Amino acid sequence: MKTRVDARFRAEVIEYALRFDCESCAHFVEARRACGNGYPNGAHLRQALDEITELEFCKEFELS
Ligand code: SF4
């Protein structure tokens, strides 16, 4: 699911400590930087929010 990354989104990520990337997901295998469920995860790895204008959420995300 794609969402726009704008000033409001960036502020809400900080204000509410939102987590949504693989590195914060219970299925993430840190040693391989891979998804434990076998999904291609390149689009869901942590990114600098001030460098992007769109973000792709993973529907399998589960907070770790
Ligand atoms: S389930 Fe989705 S968010 Fe979690 S590690 Fe796999 S690709 Fe990343």
Side-chain angles (χ1 to χ4, degrees):
M1 181 172 67
K2 290 184 178 179
T3 191
R4 185 175 43 181
V5 174
D6 56 14
R8 179 177 176 179
F9 179 82
R10 293 181 188 103
E12 289 178 346
V13 166
I14 294 169
E15 183 174 357
Y16 302 113
L18 299 179
R19 299 291 179 263
F20 40 79
D21 48 36
C22 289
E23 288 86 342
S24 299
C25 176
H27 304 294
F28 187 56
V29 181
E30 181 135 10
R32 295 188 287 118
R33 298 196 49 76
C35 175
N37 292 340
Y39 296 121
N41 67 338
H44 307 302
L45 292 169
R46 189 164 295 159
Q47 303 173 72
L49 292 183
D50 57 346
E51 296 176 3
I52 58 174
T53 56
E54 190 175 80
L55 185 66
E56 194 172 316
F57 286 106
C58 174
K59 291 185 176 180
E60 288 285 324
F61 175 85
E62 193 171 326
L63 188 62
S64 64

